[in-house]
């Protein structure tokens, strides 16, 4: 689950690839990616492994 602060700044394919390839650090990486793209809104990331 993410907020629009992430999905408006990072392409869906990049989000998917980051989670698949870097699961353990994906939350921080995704927040960093959104901030690097401008970070114009609050950014929330929750990753749940089932």
């Amino acid at each position: 689950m993410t907020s629009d602060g992430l999905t408006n700044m990072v392409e869906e394919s990049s989000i998917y690839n980051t989670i698949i390839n870097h699961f353990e650090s994906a939350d921080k990486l995704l927040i960093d990616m959104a901030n690097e793209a401008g970070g114009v809104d609050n950014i929330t990331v929750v990753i749940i492994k089932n």
Side-chain angles (χ1 to χ4, degrees):
M1 292 189 296
T2 69
S3 66
D4 61 348
L6 177 70
T7 57
N8 287 342
M9 305 305 296
V10 180
E11 294 289 327
E12 186 175 330
S13 60
S14 294
I15 294 170
Y16 175 81
N17 287 329
T18 300
I19 292 170
I20 294 301
N21 295 315
H22 306 284
F23 184 81
E24 295 299 321
S25 59
D27 53 348
K28 175 150 178 28
L29 290 170
L30 291 168
I31 291 170
D32 289 346
M33 291 166 68
N35 280 323
E36 289 172 11
V40 297
D41 198 357
N42 294 330
I43 306 161
T44 303
V45 176
V46 177
I47 300 173
I48 300 169
K49 184 175 182 179
N50 184 8

